[in-house]
Amino acid sequence: MTSPRSKLLPTILTVAGVGVAAGAAYLARQRKGEVKDFVVARVLEAPAGRSSYTELAHSLERAGDHLAGRAARATDTPANRDVLAHVITIERWGQNRLRVALGERPYVRDESSAHRPPSILTLDDLRVLLSSTRAGTVDLARQLHRRPPQEDLTVEHNSLGPLTAKAWLRYLTQHADLESRRLRGGAGVAASGEHVTS
């Protein structure tokens, strides 16, 4: 037999859980700047700051292998092409910001859409472009190792604010990993990643 107290406990926990979630959502809406600064500091700057440019380059390479694997398993759908195009767009845009940190170009507050690949590209074209784009980011990380900017040098991210070059590298790694999880395969994808026609 259950006591009235044992029936009440799950209800209290559920209400408390909803209250915490609602409170977090409220905080995020009301204090976007503070939440953003906290996330940038904890998720990007702190972990990246503990890594060398060489370590970040290796991380980009390893993540690039996973990225290529996901792209190879993706079926040829408009949604999957859009995901790959988006990842490439952000990576190219971020590369330009890294070139600012290297002193190769002046800072220009442009939009990422200026770096989007042409919409006529096939899924195979996008897979190749994805790999070459990631190789370019790895190369920039190695250049930053050879010619590191001052530790406190930052380059603006349109939404996240000022980021160090190391945080930019971590951001590009994390962004591509997160977005590529939206890629979907199907029954028509062979183990090699090639599309199987019926």
Side-chain angles (χ1 to χ4, degrees):
M1 183 169 167
T2 58
S3 69
R5 183 177 176 190
S6 65
K7 289 180 182 177
L8 186 60
L9 188 58
T11 304
I12 292 170
L13 291 175
T14 301
V15 170
V18 170
V20 169
Y26 175 81
L27 178 65
R29 280 194 308 273
Q30 299 301 316
R31 300 187 173 201
K32 287 181 185 172
E34 292 173 32
V35 171
K36 177 191 71 174
D37 292 345
F38 177 81
V39 169
V40 167
R42 293 296 179 104
V43 176
L44 297 176
E45 291 291 359
R50 291 189 295 269
S51 301
S52 68
Y53 284 111
T54 301
E55 290 167 335
L56 291 165
H58 288 310
S59 179
L60 280 158
E61 277 183 314
R62 281 191 308 274
D65 290 341
H66 292 293
L67 193 57
R70 286 182 186 147
R73 291 185 297 275
T75 53
D76 191 355
T77 64
N80 282 341
R81 288 193 302 273
D82 188 58
V83 168
L84 290 182
H86 174 69
V87 170
I88 292 164
T89 298
I90 297 301
E91 191 111 354
R92 289 168 148 186
W93 177 69
Q95 287 174 352
N96 273 348
R97 301 298 168 100
L98 289 167
R99 288 185 183 98
V100 173
L102 279 164
E104 294 178 357
R105 59 174 310 201
Y107 171 78
V108 175
R109 186 182 168 88
D110 61 347
E111 298 297 324
S112 61
S113 58
H115 303 276
R116 192 168 177 88
S119 59
I120 60 165
L121 294 184
T122 66
L123 184 68
D124 284 336
D125 294 336
L126 290 167
R127 287 174 178 141
V128 171
L129 187 55
L130 180 70
S131 292
S132 65
T133 301
R134 175 49 60 96
T137 307
V138 171
D139 182 60
L140 285 168
R142 290 182 175 139
Q143 289 180 50
L144 286 159
H145 168 72
R146 290 190 297 273
R147 297 182 287 131
Q150 291 182 337
E151 288 290 322
D152 60 349
L153 175 74
T154 60
V155 180
E156 191 79 12
H157 182 290
N158 292 13
S159 302
L160 300 176
L163 300 178
T164 62
K166 287 182 176 181
W168 267 103
L169 292 170
R170 181 166 169 84
Y171 165 75
L172 293 175
T173 304
Q174 298 295 317
H175 176 269
D177 178 64
L178 183 65
E179 291 294 325
S180 67
R181 292 171 189 267
R182 295 170 38 217
L183 292 169
R184 296 291 173 252
V189 179
S192 67
E194 295 176 4
H195 189 69
V196 177
T197 55
S198 353

